[in-house]
Amino acid sequence: MKENKMAGFGLIADVGGTNIRLALVELKTGEIGRLKKYLCADYPSIADVISLYLKEQQETVTQACVAIACPTDKDWIAMTNHSWAFSKKEVQEQLGFEGFHVINDYTGIAMSIPTLTDEQKIQVGGGEAKTGAPIAVYGPGTGLGVAHLIHHDSEYVCIPGEGGHVEFAANDEKEAHVLAFLQKRLGHVSAERLLSGPGLVNIYEGLMDMHGKTAETFEPSDVTTRGLDGSCPVCVEAMEVFCRALGSFGGNLALNMSTFGGVYIAGGIITRFMDFFNNSDFRKRFEDKGRFVDFVAKVPVYIITEEQPGLQGAAAYLRQSNGYRI
């Protein structure tokens, strides 16, 4: 890779359904600074808030990368959980950027992985990650995001997808009952229907049905709160099922691409109950792959604890696009 000798700042952004976070990255060093958060609803368009941010920072930049929670493979970008919609080409021209990259939010998270320090992740079992080996990342949040990262010709390439929507596979009687319960309600049951915030509620409701009880109307936080304080035994059960199923799914990702570079878990759910997670059967189920148990046992799992992996990944993507190694 030919390194770009031109120093300067680039604009990076992480856009969700509620907030947009903007910052500047020093392209040569990768240092990120001047982070600001804005409410998307306060601005008519993404161009308006970027213009305001750059004016406030009194900076002129020519390169930008935006990680956004929606498909990004076409010129027209329409957010799934917000009203913003725009043409990449038109925004680039409007803001005068020489380079304007719009990437999926999970591509941003995946691209952050090579830049994470030991303080920004926690290892959960397995051996040492192999440099240059394939990497998988998944994360339960509002949904279940999945992506892979490979190293090719001195660059990192993200392979995005919709892995959260593969069929959920039950591995014990409790999961089988929850699956059957949700099939009656939904028909097709994807992994996301259990491995997400709303999925915690689905598991709770399925287990209540299994016990012949009437489920209360809960939010995901209700399940975790009552599960952690022990006030609801079925909520404890739901969290146990969640952790086990998360392990099974992660082990499948490891098998798919021999991810000896590591399997990473993003999203904020797990970090809210790390002690419970560490004492769960997550790792046991991750490795429970029959004849390939020894194969999967070598794969390290990491919990991403960095609060802004999307911004960090957008910075890495932008730097690599400008000829810098990450």
Side-chain angles (χ1 to χ4, degrees), residues 1-283:
M1 180 193 299
K2 185 178 179 181
E3 185 172 299
N4 184 345
K5 300 297 182 181
M6 295 294 290
F9 289 112
L11 175 85
I12 51 175
D14 185 15
V15 188
T18 303
N19 299 307
I20 175 171
R21 292 171 174 83
L22 291 158
L24 296 178
V25 57
E26 191 171 345
L27 292 175
K28 187 174 183 179
T29 66
E31 183 177 351
I32 297 171
R34 300 196 237 177
L35 171 64
K36 288 200 70 175
K37 181 172 72 174
Y38 303 83
L39 283 171
C40 296
D42 289 345
Y43 302 90
S45 71
I46 192 171
D48 290 316
V49 68
I50 290 175
S51 296
L52 173 64
Y53 173 79
L54 291 174
K55 184 177 180 180
E56 291 174 344
Q57 302 306 315
Q58 298 183 340
E59 289 288 351
T60 299
V61 301
T62 62
Q63 300 289 331
C65 181
V66 173
I68 191 166
C70 64
T72 59
D73 55 328
K74 296 181 174 61
D75 176 68
W76 186 253
I77 303 296
M79 291 189 66
T80 306
N81 296 312
H82 187 64
S83 60
W84 281 353
F86 58 92
S87 159
K88 289 187 279 191
K89 182 179 179 181
E90 289 178 3
V91 170
Q92 180 175 355
E93 292 174 352
Q94 182 180 347
L95 297 175
F97 292 143
E98 293 177 10
F100 182 53
H101 307 273
V102 181
I103 61 176
N104 178 263
D105 59 334
Y106 246 79
T107 298
I109 292 172
M111 288 296 294
S112 77
I113 289 172
T115 72
L116 294 175
T117 65
D118 289 341
E119 290 71 35
Q120 294 172 312
K121 60 186 179 183
I122 298 171
Q123 185 168 352
V124 183
E128 185 176 346
K130 291 186 178 180
T131 302
I135 291 167
V137 58
Y138 68 124
T142 304
L144 178 62
V146 179
H148 287 84
L149 193 70
I150 61 171
H151 193 253
H152 175 69
D153 195 23
S154 300
E155 291 189 347
Y156 284 95
V157 179
C158 178
I159 304 174
E162 294 295 341
H165 296 284
V166 300
E167 283 83 3
F168 175 75
N171 281 272
D172 60 28
E173 290 183 6
K174 289 181 181 180
E175 290 175 12
H177 188 94
V178 173
L179 175 59
F181 172 81
L182 291 175
Q183 283 174 330
K184 291 177 183 177
R185 178 191 293 177
L186 303 168
H188 176 265
V189 179
S190 67
E192 180 177 277
R193 296 294 192 176
L194 285 83
L195 301 179
S196 61
L200 270 168
V201 177
N202 287 337
I203 295 170
Y204 158 77
E205 292 176 350
L207 292 175
M208 288 291 281
D209 179 78
M210 184 181 75
H211 293 301
K213 299 179 180 179
T214 301
E216 295 186 56
T217 303
F218 277 169
E219 296 294 325
S221 59
D222 297 320
V223 178
T224 55
T225 298
R226 287 163 174 76
L228 291 174
D229 67 20
S231 61
C232 173
V234 179
C235 289
V236 177
E237 246 185 307
M239 292 177 66
E240 290 171 345
V241 169
F242 178 88
C243 292
R244 289 198 293 268
L246 195 70
S248 293
F249 188 85
N252 288 343
L253 293 180
L255 288 172
N256 284 341
M257 291 185 65
S258 298
T259 56
F260 290 107
V263 173
Y264 286 74
I265 302 177
I269 290 181
I270 299 302
T271 54
R272 295 171 194 163
F273 50 85
M274 278 301 302
D275 288 343
F276 187 98
F277 177 81
N278 287 331
N279 290 312
S280 75
D281 286 335
F282 168 84
R283 186 73 207 191

